[in-house]
Each structure stands twice: as structure tokens, then as C-alpha cells.
Amino acid sequence: AQSVTQLDSHVSVSEGTPVLLRCNYSSSYSPSLFWYVQHPNKGLQLLLKYTSAATLVKGINGFEAEFKKSETSFHLTKPSAHMSDAAEYFCVVSRYGNNDMRFGAGTRLTVKP
Amino acid sequence: DAGITQSPRHKVTETGTPVTLRCHQTENHRYMYWYRQDPGHGLRLIHYSYGVKDTDKGEVSDGYSVSRSKTEDFLLTLESATSSQTSVYFCAIGGRGQPHNSPLHFGNGTRLTVT
């Protein structure tokens, strides 16, 4: 069975500094990987997805993630944090698609002025 | 938001009572999903539907049932609510056609408290 581990439950950065949210996955086959963002009292929104095409995936709002099979990682990065990036971020793995998605526990990103 | 309405947004109920949560979509999507969100667990799939009257179990389906009599409505029922079902419940819809790798669109959630 597939699973994901988000290595940090909380990350705090200053506005304008880089963001790194770490995700490791476990899968015995080629997975699809996603990052979703959740703002307070809202549903989740897709940031980006990897589906066996380019290993560097660009998403919305300046985020990107790199699929590294040798490290079983799919870390999310952004060069410069903005206050509006403060939210909870979920790494997700699936094999067949939406019917078997497995969510990580989430990483709460705080952005300090 | 992608035309998904969850009702109610908040509900407090007592242990042992039945509860029904409603998800209504205006996007005519075939696939609909119910998740629960708990601290430390992310989101976990309860049930999903791949068409009218077609449903299947997810990862944490015990204690829940669903129904889909119309494309636009997907109901989640707790037959006899327990305190362990206190959670935030999210409805989501998938892409048209095949579900593979199409992004989910989520509603804004229902916060359920069972006392």
C-alpha cells in the first residue's frame, strides 16, 4: 500500500525567504503525487501534480516540486514566501487516481512579516 | 469554488442520533467523494460515488453510509453518531470521465461535533 510522510508538522519562514516543505512517499510502483493547499475554513485546492512526465513540476502561485525516485521524495519549494502562503499543505500519493489517494498528515506553514 | 455546496456547515449532535450531511454540486461531475479530516491524519476517504446509485467504500467507511439518487447530490449518513465521528467532513468532486489524476475540487467542509 502507498503512503506519504510529511517530515515537518509546522514550518515557519519570514516573508521573502525560501519555502521548503518535505514529503517522502512509499510505493512499490510508479505513483502519482500531488500537493494540495488548505486555507483556514476552506476546502483543499490543488497546487501541482506529478504523473510520470517531467520530474520538476511547476504549480500555481510560484510553487514547484521535484520528484526524486532514488530518494522517494517530492518536496515542495517556493523561492520567496508571501504572507498569503500561510496555510496547511498536504502531500498526496495515489496509484489509480482519486479513488485511492493517501494524504499526509499536513504541514502548517507560517509566514512572519 | 467549483460549484460545491455542503450543508450544514456546522452541526452539534448527541451520541446515538442519526445525522445526514449533504453535498450538492452544479458541475455535473460523475465522481463525488466524502472525506473526513482529523489532526495528524490528513484526509481519509469514507465513501465515493461513480454515478447515480453507484457507490463504493473508502478507507474509513465503518459507521457511515451514502446515497446518490441524483447526479448533483451525494448524502453521507451517520446511522448512530459516536464521539469518534467528531470531525470535519469534506465533499469533493472529480474530473469528468476517468478519475485518474484529475484534480479534486473540494467543498468548504462541515464541522460535526458529537457530544
Side-chain angles (χ1 to χ4, degrees):
Chain A
Q2 69 271 23
S3 66
V4 291
T5 301
Q6 293 184 241
L7 300 175
D8 306 290
S9 59
H10 185 211
V11 170
S12 181
V13 300
S14 297
E15 191 174 21
T17 65
V19 175
L20 170 64
L21 305 183
R22 299 182 295 164
C23 172
N24 285 353
Y25 70 91
S26 172
S27 175
S28 57
Y29 40 78
S30 296
S32 296
L33 292 158
F34 309 78
W35 276 98
Y36 281 83
V37 60
Q38 182 182 31
H39 289 94
N41 300 314
K42 293 290 188 181
L44 282 71
Q45 179 187 17
L46 180 69
L47 274 179
L48 50 81
K49 65 180 181 181
Y50 166 77
T51 57
S52 74
T55 56
L56 183 61
V57 182
K58 294 187 184 299
I60 61 172
N61 300 334
F63 285 94
E64 62 181 37
E66 186 172 7
F67 174 72
K68 292 187 176 181
K69 186 175 181 179
S70 61
E71 299 177 10
T72 61
S73 68
F74 190 58
H75 301 335
L76 182 70
T77 61
K78 184 174 181 178
S80 176
H82 191 271
M83 296 298 291
S84 61
D85 294 328
E88 187 144 20
Y89 292 79
F90 293 93
C91 182
V92 185
V93 64
S94 78
R95 179 180 184 184
Y96 297 112
N98 294 335
N99 299 346
D100 72 336
M101 298 175 81
R102 291 292 186 266
F103 286 73
T107 298
R108 181 164 300 278
L109 175 66
T110 300
V111 182
K112 298 175 292 186
Chain B
D1 293 337
I4 306 169
T5 304
Q6 292 186 232
S7 59
R9 291 297 313 277
H10 301 271
K11 186 169 182 67
V12 179
T13 191
E14 293 184 349
T15 298
T17 59
V19 177
T20 295
L21 309 183
R22 180 181 183 238
C23 177
H24 178 79
Q25 60 142 331
T26 59
E27 305 296 316
N28 199 35
H29 279 269
R30 179 182 172 194
Y31 289 86
M32 298 184 74
Y33 305 82
W34 275 109
Y35 285 88
R36 60 179 288 173
Q37 182 178 22
D38 303 290
H41 291 277
L43 274 72
R44 292 177 291 175
L45 182 64
I46 305 172
H47 283 279
Y48 66 96
S49 170
Y50 46 96
V52 173
K53 291 186 169 50
D54 292 323
T55 65
D56 206 347
K57 296 178 180 179
E59 183 184 359
V60 289
S61 59
D62 287 348
Y64 302 94
S65 63
V66 290
S67 66
R68 190 160 177 209
S69 59
K70 297 185 292 185
T71 297
E72 57 267 34
D73 289 325
F74 191 32
L75 304 181
L76 176 70
T77 297
L78 290 66
E79 302 290 348
S80 177
T82 67
S83 58
S84 64
Q85 293 177 310
T86 292
S87 186
V88 182
Y89 291 86
F90 285 96
C91 175
I93 60 177
R96 300 183 190 279
Q98 293 298 318
H100 299 289
N101 306 319
S102 57
L104 292 172
H105 298 283
F106 287 83
N108 286 333
T110 294
R111 184 173 297 276
L112 176 67
T113 302
V114 183
T115 60

